[in-house]
Each structure stands twice: as structure tokens, then as C-alpha cells.
Amino acid sequence: MDHDLVRLTDLGVGKHAQVRRLEGGKGFISRLAAMGFTPGAPVTVLRRNGNGPILVSLRGAQVALGFLEAKKIRLTVVEEQDQAFIQEPTIHGNTPEKHMVIALAGQPNVGKSTVFNLLTGLNQHVGNWAGKTIDLKSGGFMVGDTSITLVDLPGTYSLTANSEEERIARDFILKEHPDLAIVVVDAANLERSLYLLAEVLLLPVPVILALNMMDVAGQEGIQVEPGVLESALGIPVAPMSAAHNQGIDALLAVIREYLDGKMPFNPKKPSISDEHKGILAEIVEQINGYTPEGYPTKWVALKLLEGDEELAGLIEKNLPAANWQKVAALLYEHEDAVLDIAGERYEWIARMVRAAVVEPRITRGSLTSRLDQVLTHPVFGSLILALVLGGVFFVTYAIGSPLQSWLGRGVEALTEWLRVQMANSPDWLSHLITDGVLGGVGLVLTFLPILAIFYIALGLLEDTGYMARIAYLTDRWMHRLGLHGKSFLPLLLGFGCNVPAVFGTRIIESRRSRLLTILLIPLIPCTARMAVITILTPIFFPVHSALVAWGLVAGNLVILMLLGLALHSLILKNEHVAFIMELPLYHVPNMKTIGIYVWQNLLSFLQKAGTVILGGSLVIWGLSYFPTGEVMTSYLSYAGRFLEPIGLWMGLPWPVLLAILTSVVAKENTIATLGILYGDVVKVLPTLLTASSALALLAFQMLFIPCLGTIAAIHEETKSLMWTIVSAVMMLSLSIGAGVLIYKVGLLLFG
């Protein structure tokens, strides 16, 4: 009843109430709601002064309101003894009463993505956080009348800042203050996967343990007692088999308990040995009051003992010189503390495992062990890997290429239809739509089937656990380039498309190794470049087209190896890149997880590459159309004529160089432009170019500057205009150098 309601202006300092009704018109109410003043929200008055502004506590934040604005908020007063029992009112409709943020953490290969997908479905998006190169996925779902945002933190083994993933995972919890954290662990490998939980429990956030892969543990003969583990840890434990959609209800029930204020949380945290407790206390004393905002002092001191270089740098800047000298001396004297801390954590884990797990001696890991005897063998494993990769590419192109051709014909038909429909429109407008828009974006769309199949294959390899074996098997080859096995995965992806390959380098921990891999990816011949080579090679070499095409691909890979060795000395300065990677147990893949993985990657490709290609297409089209409407007399032709001396070094007329220039938008534009310039390219091109100049053209095309989508991806991942330019200039130099060398050698050999 209205007579039970009071205005916010009627509350005294320290008084508590719940929002019931808002007044003042739709626009004003919308603004209040955006600030968190929704029915049921608890409010506490912190400060007021007569008829001046009122300061209140709302949803963990302090909000100031003018006196007149505060009068429009109607509330029910909550007596002091009722504070712990504030309940959200039952409402009708879809308007959420509360909102909370949950962080989802876990080591790689524990099924965290499956849990995330089950909770959020397709109601998720990917966004860059705090200017980092690692994207964060977030999604929404409802528990009762509470709207929940679930943030999927990067998979990481610990929270010491050794990689971008670890920095983001811990900084999100420390700086964004989520209401709750869910740590996903592998029930079949608790001893390993509980280590991250040991670290998260030290952060200021309530924690739920999602005990995933209970089915895999059962298959391995491992018996885990969730109730016993819950008692041992002192935190809620939700047993799950996310791959089979089992256990989500148990997890949601614990979240509901948290919302109702009934979730048991009395964590038994790991400690450090008596030997280092005194040292920890000394460091706490020296850094107290100088830690970054939101960072617990004792946690920072512990991370300093663990050798966290990032935090050491921050503390050194904040501390007075005298304090830092004492801290640095303590850290130098106790360099072995990191091993002591890790050892104590594993002792803590061992106690938990002994209490809750029965592990048979014979069957433990037997299936995985038997498979790995073959699949990780240096000879047999490599042969199987070759067959697997060959099968992936065969299926990709056997199914994807016909679909690509079908889409290509559809784009061509649409283009011709639009030309007819726009016959009475201005000529420039018709060409803008058909050549500028469809010529760029349309070509990109035709490659979606190949990318989709490729992503499905990669998803299957990842979800079964075989992708880690690929990294293991290829590590020795990658090390020769100064990289490790993880670099092989994005390089492999480059055969499908260089754009997602560049984005795929995010799995590489070392920034220098990531940069080196990004610079090498454009040397991987993508499907678009291979399409151009597939069309041009039979025109010049009808008898030996397959051999020539194979030689061009092999040449690119040889250059990649040589350039990798050179860049290793320049960029990595011969730094040894550590390879530490868990090989997960094999398990049946989850098709829903793979489906969402494919969908998100295709959507990301369209959003990040498609927009750039559209803009670039319009620019290139404008340069090739104006001022005369003919490409041979356009602004772009001036660039072709300017480059004519370089073309002569390779035996190429400037119109051919002009065609290659247009491939910066999309590689297939080379064929389209040649068709515009020469008409029937099958008849005309062999009469214009000798065998030597034809080989030079093919090599030049294979090594030329990558497409705009790849350039944009390189800029986004390196966050550096300089390295983006370096990549483009490097590829341009390689293409010209290879073209000239092949032409000159061809003249000497064949005349």
C-alpha cells in the first residue's frame, strides 16, 4: 500500500530500505533504472545535508542524488534486525530484479567452454577487455529473477603473471570485483587441476567448485566423492558431466543458494611453510599502503615471493627506495620460496585428493596411455598426424570447394541481376554496387563453407584432446624456428585463411613468439591465393600445372623457414621459448561446444574482416574507376605505370602489376582485373608472357602483400602500426625479390 511507502528524502543516515516505485516520467525512470534503482534493490543512506544532495549505497556502489530526484524514489524501510533477510519481491514479466557478475575460471582442457556454453547458449558475445590482446567471452542467463552475466576468463594454469591469459584472469577478479567465481576442474585429474583453485581461493571473491568430467573419471575407474570434497574444501562443490549436459542443475542450485544468502563458504585455504611465514610478514610490513588499488597486501606479498615480475615492477614504482631495497634483498635471499609455496599448495591438494578420491592403480589413464604410446610416437605419431591433416584438408576442400563454387555462381548471378536492374542508374552507382561492394564482400562470403568445415575439424581435434598431441609432435620442428608446438596450430589454420590464423596466435604465451608467428603467417598460402594459382597455373603450364603449383607452395614454406630463422635472431634474440603444455585425457567431443565455436569464429571473421574488406574494396574501386570510368586510365593505373620499371625486372607489363595491386582487397581480384584488362585471359596471357615471366608472376602473386583483412588482423593483434607496416613491406620485398630472381634465372636457363 502507498501509505507504507516513504520517500528517499525521508530516510536518515544509516537507514536501510528497498526500492518499490519510481516517479518522474519515462526518461527519468529509465535513467534511475540504469543506475540500479530497480524494484527490490536495497539502499542505505550514507550522507545527507538538509535539502542538499543525498549519498546512498546501492549495489556495491555509492550514488549521489539531488534532493528533488531523491523525492521521486519511493521505498519501504527495512528494520535493522531484518537486514540479513532482505528478499527480492516476486514480479511478473521479464524485467530482472537484480544483476550479478560471475567469473568462470579453469585450466585448459577441463571443459570450461562446455560449461559456459551450456549456461549461456548463443546469448554470448566476445569483447576486448582493458586494451588486452586476449578477448573475453561473456554471456547472460537468468536464475529466478536475477540477471547474470557470466564472464569466461582465459584458460590458465595459475595466476602468476607469466602470460597474458594469467594477467587477465587475475586482474578481472581483482579490478572488476565479480560477485562470484566458478572454478571448473577435471574430476579425472584433480591433483593437477585443483592448483588454480588453490590460487583463486586467495582472492577476495566467493568461489564455487564445478567438478566437471565426472563421466571421464568413471571411465578411468576413478571414484570421486563430491560431498567429502566439499567438506574438505569448505566451499560448495557441484559434480558435472558437462559434455553430456549433466550437472548444470546442481550448479544453478548452488548459484541460487548464493543469491539467497545460504551458500556455505568457509574455505580451507592453503598456507605456506613456517620457514617463510616470517619473511612474508616482513614483506607485508614494507609494502603495506603502497599496493595497487584493489590488490590485497598479503596476496601481493605472496606473489612477490613467487617471483611475479609484473607485480614486482608495480611495487618497485610505488615503494619508497628504502622500502624497495629491503624487499628486493628479502626476495633475493629467498629465491627458493616459489618452490616452497607451490609445494605447500600441492600438499594441500594431496590432502583433498586423499580425502575424496579413490584411484585404482591399474586402470588410471589406461586408455589415454595406450593411445599415446602410438599417437605421440616420433615416427608412427608423425605418420598418423600426416594422415589426419591430409584427411582434414581433403574433407575441407572436397566438400567446401563445391559449396564455394555454388556461392560464387550465386554472387555472379546477383551481380548480373543488379546490373540489369540498375541499367538506368548512373554508371558509377551501378559499378559501385556490383564491383565495389559485391566484388569485395561477395568474394569473402564464398569462402565461408571452407572456413566452416575447417573450424569444425579444428574443433573436433581440440575437443577430443588430439590438438595438444599435434603441438607436442610438431614442437621439435617449430623449435628450429625459435618457436614451439603451439605456433604450429595458427600456422596450420593459415592454409584456410590468414585472418583467423593471426587471431589464433593468442594461444602463444610469449609476446615475442606471438609476434614472430604473426609475421610468418602471411607466407602460408591461404585458399584465396591457392584459388588464383589454381586458375593461372594451367593457363601458362597446361602439362605441368600440378608440379608448378606444388613447387610454389613448397617455395613459400622454404622461405617461411629461412625467414623464421632470420627473424628468430632479430626479434627473439635467440631466446629459448619454453614448451610446457598439459596433454589432456581423450574424451568424446561435445557437438554443442563445437557448434558454438564454429559460429563465433565465422561471426568474428565476418565482423572483423568483412568490414575492412568492404571499406578497402570501395577505396580500390574508386581508384580503379575514377576519373574516366576505365581501369586502364584510372588513378590506380598511375600506380601501375609508376611501378612499370619493377615489372620490367620480372618481364611483366604494368597492367599485370595493376591486377596484382587490386588483390590487396581480396586475392581473387587478380583474376577479375586481368579479365577486365585482357578479356579472354586463357588466350591472351600466354601470348604476353614467357615461361620465365609467367613463373615470376606466380611467385610474385604467392608472396605479395596479404589482403586487407589479414593486415587489419595483424594490426589488431600486434597493437602496433609499425609492425603492421613491417609485415607489409617485408612481404612486398620478398615478392619482388623472388619474382626478379626467378625471371633472371629463367632467362639464363631457357633464354
Short mmCIF file of all heavy atoms in Angstrom, two decimals, residues 439-483:
data_model
loop_
_atom_site.label_atom_id
_atom_site.label_comp_id
_atom_site.label_asym_id
_atom_site.label_seq_id
_atom_site.Cartn_x
_atom_site.Cartn_y
_atom_site.Cartn_z
N GLY A 439 32.02 -7.13 -55.32
CA GLY A 439 33.34 -7.59 -55.72
C GLY A 439 34.25 -7.88 -54.54
O GLY A 439 35.14 -8.73 -54.63
N GLY A 440 34.04 -7.18 -53.42
CA GLY A 440 34.85 -7.44 -52.23
C GLY A 440 34.17 -8.35 -51.26
O GLY A 440 34.64 -9.46 -50.98
N VAL A 441 33.02 -7.92 -50.74
CA VAL A 441 32.31 -8.70 -49.72
C VAL A 441 31.79 -10.01 -50.29
O VAL A 441 31.82 -11.05 -49.64
CB VAL A 441 31.15 -7.88 -49.12
CG1 VAL A 441 30.37 -8.71 -48.12
CG2 VAL A 441 31.69 -6.63 -48.45
N GLY A 442 31.31 -9.98 -51.52
CA GLY A 442 30.79 -11.20 -52.14
C GLY A 442 31.82 -12.30 -52.22
O GLY A 442 31.53 -13.47 -51.94
N LEU A 443 33.06 -11.91 -52.57
CA LEU A 443 34.12 -12.91 -52.64
C LEU A 443 34.44 -13.51 -51.27
O LEU A 443 34.71 -14.69 -51.14
CB LEU A 443 35.39 -12.27 -53.24
CG LEU A 443 35.36 -12.03 -54.76
CD1 LEU A 443 36.56 -11.23 -55.19
CD2 LEU A 443 35.32 -13.36 -55.51
N VAL A 444 34.39 -12.67 -50.25
CA VAL A 444 34.65 -13.16 -48.90
C VAL A 444 33.59 -14.19 -48.49
O VAL A 444 33.90 -15.23 -47.91
CB VAL A 444 34.67 -11.99 -47.89
CG1 VAL A 444 34.74 -12.51 -46.46
CG2 VAL A 444 35.86 -11.09 -48.18
N LEU A 445 32.35 -13.89 -48.80
CA LEU A 445 31.26 -14.78 -48.42
C LEU A 445 31.41 -16.16 -49.05
O LEU A 445 30.99 -17.16 -48.47
CB LEU A 445 29.91 -14.17 -48.82
CG LEU A 445 29.49 -12.92 -48.03
CD1 LEU A 445 28.19 -12.36 -48.59
CD2 LEU A 445 29.33 -13.25 -46.55
N THR A 446 31.99 -16.23 -50.23
CA THR A 446 32.12 -17.53 -50.90
C THR A 446 33.06 -18.47 -50.15
O THR A 446 33.02 -19.68 -50.37
CB THR A 446 32.61 -17.37 -52.35
OG1 THR A 446 33.94 -16.81 -52.34
CG2 THR A 446 31.69 -16.46 -53.14
N PHE A 447 33.92 -17.92 -49.28
CA PHE A 447 34.87 -18.76 -48.57
C PHE A 447 34.34 -19.26 -47.23
O PHE A 447 35.03 -20.00 -46.52
CB PHE A 447 36.19 -18.01 -48.36
CG PHE A 447 37.05 -17.98 -49.58
CD1 PHE A 447 36.92 -16.97 -50.51
CD2 PHE A 447 37.95 -19.00 -49.83
CE1 PHE A 447 37.69 -16.96 -51.65
CE2 PHE A 447 38.73 -19.00 -50.96
CZ PHE A 447 38.60 -17.98 -51.89
N LEU A 448 33.14 -18.87 -46.87
CA LEU A 448 32.57 -19.30 -45.60
C LEU A 448 32.43 -20.82 -45.49
O LEU A 448 32.70 -21.39 -44.42
CB LEU A 448 31.23 -18.62 -45.36
CG LEU A 448 31.31 -17.15 -44.94
CD1 LEU A 448 29.91 -16.57 -44.79
CD2 LEU A 448 32.09 -16.98 -43.66
N PRO A 449 31.99 -21.56 -46.54
CA PRO A 449 31.90 -23.02 -46.39
C PRO A 449 33.23 -23.68 -46.05
O PRO A 449 33.29 -24.56 -45.18
CB PRO A 449 31.38 -23.48 -47.76
CG PRO A 449 30.68 -22.29 -48.32
CD PRO A 449 31.46 -21.11 -47.84
N ILE A 450 34.30 -23.24 -46.72
CA ILE A 450 35.62 -23.83 -46.45
C ILE A 450 36.04 -23.52 -45.02
O ILE A 450 36.54 -24.40 -44.30
CB ILE A 450 36.65 -23.30 -47.46
CG1 ILE A 450 36.40 -23.95 -48.84
CG2 ILE A 450 38.08 -23.58 -47.00
CD1 ILE A 450 37.34 -23.49 -49.92
N LEU A 451 35.85 -22.27 -44.60
CA LEU A 451 36.22 -21.91 -43.24
C LEU A 451 35.39 -22.67 -42.21
O LEU A 451 35.90 -23.11 -41.18
CB LEU A 451 36.03 -20.40 -43.02
CG LEU A 451 37.09 -19.50 -43.65
CD1 LEU A 451 36.74 -18.04 -43.41
CD2 LEU A 451 38.47 -19.79 -43.09
N ALA A 452 34.09 -22.83 -42.49
CA ALA A 452 33.21 -23.54 -41.56
C ALA A 452 33.68 -24.99 -41.36
O ALA A 452 33.78 -25.48 -40.23
CB ALA A 452 31.77 -23.51 -42.06
N ILE A 453 33.98 -25.67 -42.45
CA ILE A 453 34.43 -27.06 -42.37
C ILE A 453 35.77 -27.14 -41.66
O ILE A 453 36.02 -28.03 -40.84
CB ILE A 453 34.51 -27.69 -43.78
CG1 ILE A 453 33.10 -27.72 -44.41
CG2 ILE A 453 35.10 -29.08 -43.72
CD1 ILE A 453 33.11 -28.04 -45.88
N PHE A 454 36.64 -26.19 -41.96
CA PHE A 454 37.96 -26.17 -41.33
C PHE A 454 37.83 -25.96 -39.82
O PHE A 454 38.49 -26.62 -39.02
CB PHE A 454 38.80 -25.06 -41.96
CG PHE A 454 40.27 -25.27 -41.82
CD1 PHE A 454 40.92 -26.22 -42.58
CD2 PHE A 454 41.02 -24.52 -40.93
CE1 PHE A 454 42.28 -26.43 -42.46
CE2 PHE A 454 42.38 -24.71 -40.80
CZ PHE A 454 43.02 -25.67 -41.57
N TYR A 455 36.94 -25.07 -39.41
CA TYR A 455 36.74 -24.82 -37.98
C TYR A 455 36.10 -26.03 -37.29
O TYR A 455 36.39 -26.32 -36.13
CB TYR A 455 35.87 -23.58 -37.77
CG TYR A 455 36.63 -22.28 -37.87
CD1 TYR A 455 36.19 -21.25 -38.70
CD2 TYR A 455 37.77 -22.07 -37.12
CE1 TYR A 455 36.88 -20.06 -38.78
CE2 TYR A 455 38.47 -20.87 -37.19
CZ TYR A 455 38.02 -19.87 -38.03
OH TYR A 455 38.70 -18.69 -38.10
N ILE A 456 35.21 -26.71 -37.99
CA ILE A 456 34.62 -27.92 -37.42
C ILE A 456 35.71 -28.96 -37.15
O ILE A 456 35.75 -29.58 -36.08
CB ILE A 456 33.55 -28.51 -38.36
CG1 ILE A 456 32.31 -27.59 -38.40
CG2 ILE A 456 33.14 -29.91 -37.91
CD1 ILE A 456 31.31 -27.97 -39.47
N ALA A 457 36.60 -29.12 -38.12
CA ALA A 457 37.70 -30.07 -37.96
C ALA A 457 38.60 -29.67 -36.79
O ALA A 457 38.98 -30.51 -35.96
CB ALA A 457 38.52 -30.15 -39.25
N LEU A 458 38.94 -28.39 -36.70
CA LEU A 458 39.78 -27.92 -35.61
C LEU A 458 39.08 -28.11 -34.27
O LEU A 458 39.71 -28.48 -33.27
CB LEU A 458 40.15 -26.45 -35.81
CG LEU A 458 41.16 -26.14 -36.92
CD1 LEU A 458 41.37 -24.65 -37.03
CD2 LEU A 458 42.48 -26.84 -36.66
N GLY A 459 37.77 -27.83 -34.23
CA GLY A 459 37.01 -28.01 -33.00
C GLY A 459 37.02 -29.46 -32.54
O GLY A 459 37.16 -29.75 -31.35
N LEU A 460 36.86 -30.38 -33.48
CA LEU A 460 36.88 -31.81 -33.15
C LEU A 460 38.25 -32.22 -32.61
O LEU A 460 38.35 -32.95 -31.62
CB LEU A 460 36.53 -32.64 -34.38
CG LEU A 460 35.05 -32.65 -34.80
CD1 LEU A 460 34.90 -33.27 -36.17
CD2 LEU A 460 34.21 -33.42 -33.77
N LEU A 461 39.31 -31.76 -33.28
CA LEU A 461 40.66 -32.10 -32.84
C LEU A 461 40.93 -31.55 -31.44
O LEU A 461 41.57 -32.21 -30.61
CB LEU A 461 41.69 -31.55 -33.84
CG LEU A 461 41.69 -32.17 -35.23
CD1 LEU A 461 42.68 -31.45 -36.14
CD2 LEU A 461 42.01 -33.66 -35.17
N GLU A 462 40.45 -30.34 -31.18
CA GLU A 462 40.67 -29.71 -29.87
C GLU A 462 39.85 -30.41 -28.79
O GLU A 462 40.37 -30.70 -27.70
CB GLU A 462 40.28 -28.23 -29.95
CG GLU A 462 40.38 -27.48 -28.63
CD GLU A 462 41.81 -27.31 -28.18
OE1 GLU A 462 42.68 -27.05 -29.04
OE2 GLU A 462 42.06 -27.43 -26.97
N ASP A 463 38.59 -30.69 -29.08
CA ASP A 463 37.69 -31.21 -28.06
C ASP A 463 37.99 -32.67 -27.71
O ASP A 463 37.64 -33.12 -26.61
CB ASP A 463 36.23 -31.07 -28.51
CG ASP A 463 35.31 -30.69 -27.37
OD1 ASP A 463 35.74 -29.90 -26.51
OD2 ASP A 463 34.17 -31.18 -27.33
N THR A 464 38.58 -33.40 -28.62
CA THR A 464 38.94 -34.79 -28.30
C THR A 464 40.25 -34.87 -27.52
O THR A 464 40.54 -35.90 -26.91
CB THR A 464 39.10 -35.62 -29.58
OG1 THR A 464 40.08 -34.98 -30.42
CG2 THR A 464 37.80 -35.75 -30.33
N GLY A 465 41.03 -33.79 -27.53
CA GLY A 465 42.32 -33.79 -26.86
C GLY A 465 43.48 -34.03 -27.79
O GLY A 465 44.65 -34.00 -27.38
N TYR A 466 43.21 -34.25 -29.11
CA TYR A 466 44.29 -34.56 -30.04
C TYR A 466 45.11 -33.33 -30.42
O TYR A 466 46.27 -33.45 -30.79
CB TYR A 466 43.73 -35.23 -31.30
CG TYR A 466 44.81 -35.71 -32.25
CD1 TYR A 466 45.68 -36.72 -31.87
CD2 TYR A 466 44.97 -35.15 -33.51
CE1 TYR A 466 46.68 -37.17 -32.72
CE2 TYR A 466 45.95 -35.59 -34.38
CZ TYR A 466 46.81 -36.60 -33.98
OH TYR A 466 47.79 -37.03 -34.82
N MET A 467 44.51 -32.14 -30.34
CA MET A 467 45.23 -30.93 -30.74
C MET A 467 46.49 -30.74 -29.91
O MET A 467 47.53 -30.30 -30.42
CB MET A 467 44.32 -29.71 -30.61
CG MET A 467 44.91 -28.45 -31.22
SD MET A 467 45.03 -28.54 -33.01
CE MET A 467 43.36 -28.07 -33.46
N ALA A 468 46.44 -31.09 -28.63
CA ALA A 468 47.62 -30.98 -27.78
C ALA A 468 48.72 -31.93 -28.27
O ALA A 468 49.91 -31.61 -28.18
CB ALA A 468 47.27 -31.28 -26.34
N ARG A 469 48.31 -33.08 -28.81
CA ARG A 469 49.31 -34.02 -29.35
C ARG A 469 49.96 -33.46 -30.62
O ARG A 469 51.13 -33.70 -30.88
CB ARG A 469 48.66 -35.37 -29.66
CG ARG A 469 48.55 -36.32 -28.47
CD ARG A 469 47.49 -35.91 -27.49
NE ARG A 469 47.45 -36.77 -26.30
CZ ARG A 469 46.64 -36.55 -25.28
NH1 ARG A 469 45.79 -35.54 -25.29
NH2 ARG A 469 46.68 -37.33 -24.23
N ILE A 470 49.18 -32.71 -31.40
CA ILE A 470 49.75 -32.07 -32.60
C ILE A 470 50.84 -31.09 -32.19
O ILE A 470 51.93 -31.05 -32.78
CB ILE A 470 48.64 -31.35 -33.40
CG1 ILE A 470 47.65 -32.37 -33.96
CG2 ILE A 470 49.24 -30.52 -34.52
CD1 ILE A 470 46.49 -31.75 -34.71
N ALA A 471 50.55 -30.29 -31.15
CA ALA A 471 51.55 -29.34 -30.66
C ALA A 471 52.79 -30.08 -30.17
O ALA A 471 53.92 -29.65 -30.42
CB ALA A 471 50.95 -28.49 -29.54
N TYR A 472 52.57 -31.19 -29.49
CA TYR A 472 53.69 -31.98 -28.97
C TYR A 472 54.56 -32.53 -30.11
O TYR A 472 55.78 -32.44 -30.08
CB TYR A 472 53.14 -33.12 -28.12
CG TYR A 472 54.17 -34.14 -27.70
CD1 TYR A 472 55.04 -33.90 -26.65
CD2 TYR A 472 54.27 -35.35 -28.38
CE1 TYR A 472 55.99 -34.83 -26.27
CE2 TYR A 472 55.22 -36.30 -28.02
CZ TYR A 472 56.07 -36.03 -26.96
OH TYR A 472 57.02 -36.96 -26.61
N LEU A 473 53.90 -33.09 -31.12
CA LEU A 473 54.64 -33.72 -32.22
C LEU A 473 55.40 -32.69 -33.07
O LEU A 473 56.46 -33.00 -33.61
CB LEU A 473 53.68 -34.51 -33.11
CG LEU A 473 53.16 -35.83 -32.52
CD1 LEU A 473 52.00 -36.36 -33.35
CD2 LEU A 473 54.27 -36.86 -32.43
N THR A 474 54.85 -31.52 -33.22
CA THR A 474 55.47 -30.52 -34.11
C THR A 474 56.43 -29.60 -33.37
O THR A 474 57.08 -28.76 -33.99
CB THR A 474 54.38 -29.65 -34.77
OG1 THR A 474 53.57 -29.04 -33.76
CG2 THR A 474 53.49 -30.49 -35.68
N ASP A 475 56.54 -29.78 -32.06
CA ASP A 475 57.39 -28.87 -31.28
C ASP A 475 58.84 -28.90 -31.75
O ASP A 475 59.49 -27.86 -31.85
CB ASP A 475 57.30 -29.24 -29.80
CG ASP A 475 58.19 -28.37 -28.94
OD1 ASP A 475 57.93 -27.15 -28.90
OD2 ASP A 475 59.15 -28.88 -28.33
N ARG A 476 59.36 -30.06 -32.04
CA ARG A 476 60.78 -30.13 -32.41
C ARG A 476 61.05 -29.39 -33.71
O ARG A 476 62.13 -28.83 -33.90
CB ARG A 476 61.23 -31.59 -32.51
CG ARG A 476 60.44 -32.45 -33.46
CD ARG A 476 61.02 -33.84 -33.58
NE ARG A 476 60.22 -34.70 -34.42
CZ ARG A 476 60.65 -35.84 -34.93
NH1 ARG A 476 61.88 -36.24 -34.70
NH2 ARG A 476 59.86 -36.57 -35.68
N TRP A 477 60.06 -29.38 -34.63
CA TRP A 477 60.24 -28.65 -35.88
C TRP A 477 60.10 -27.14 -35.64
O TRP A 477 60.85 -26.34 -36.20
CB TRP A 477 59.22 -29.11 -36.92
CG TRP A 477 59.26 -30.58 -37.18
CD1 TRP A 477 58.36 -31.52 -36.75
CD2 TRP A 477 60.27 -31.30 -37.89
NE1 TRP A 477 58.74 -32.78 -37.16
CE2 TRP A 477 59.91 -32.68 -37.87
CE3 TRP A 477 61.43 -30.92 -38.56
CZ2 TRP A 477 60.67 -33.65 -38.48
CZ3 TRP A 477 62.19 -31.90 -39.17
CH2 TRP A 477 61.81 -33.25 -39.12
N MET A 478 59.16 -26.78 -34.82
CA MET A 478 58.95 -25.36 -34.53
C MET A 478 60.13 -24.76 -33.77
O MET A 478 60.46 -23.59 -33.94
CB MET A 478 57.67 -25.16 -33.73
CG MET A 478 56.38 -25.47 -34.48
SD MET A 478 56.04 -24.30 -35.83
CE MET A 478 56.56 -25.28 -37.25
N HIS A 479 60.76 -25.58 -32.94
CA HIS A 479 61.89 -25.07 -32.17
C HIS A 479 63.05 -24.64 -33.07
O HIS A 479 63.85 -23.78 -32.69
CB HIS A 479 62.38 -26.14 -31.18
CG HIS A 479 61.92 -25.89 -29.77
ND1 HIS A 479 62.21 -24.73 -29.09
CD2 HIS A 479 61.18 -26.65 -28.92
CE1 HIS A 479 61.69 -24.79 -27.88
NE2 HIS A 479 61.04 -25.93 -27.76
N ARG A 480 63.13 -25.21 -34.23
CA ARG A 480 64.19 -24.81 -35.16
C ARG A 480 63.99 -23.39 -35.66
O ARG A 480 64.92 -22.75 -36.16
CB ARG A 480 64.25 -25.78 -36.33
CG ARG A 480 64.61 -27.20 -35.88
CD ARG A 480 64.78 -28.15 -37.03
NE ARG A 480 65.09 -29.50 -36.54
CZ ARG A 480 65.35 -30.54 -37.32
NH1 ARG A 480 65.32 -30.40 -38.64
NH2 ARG A 480 65.62 -31.72 -36.80
N LEU A 481 62.75 -22.89 -35.55
CA LEU A 481 62.46 -21.51 -35.91
C LEU A 481 62.41 -20.63 -34.67
O LEU A 481 62.05 -19.45 -34.74
CB LEU A 481 61.10 -21.42 -36.63
CG LEU A 481 60.94 -22.26 -37.89
CD1 LEU A 481 59.55 -22.05 -38.48
CD2 LEU A 481 62.01 -21.92 -38.90
N GLY A 482 62.78 -21.21 -33.53
CA GLY A 482 62.71 -20.44 -32.30
C GLY A 482 61.33 -20.41 -31.70
O GLY A 482 61.06 -19.66 -30.77
N LEU A 483 60.41 -21.24 -32.20
CA LEU A 483 59.04 -21.28 -31.71
C LEU A 483 58.82 -22.61 -31.01
O LEU A 483 59.75 -23.38 -30.79
CB LEU A 483 58.07 -21.11 -32.87
CG LEU A 483 58.23 -19.84 -33.70
CD1 LEU A 483 57.32 -19.87 -34.92
CD2 LEU A 483 57.93 -18.62 -32.86
#
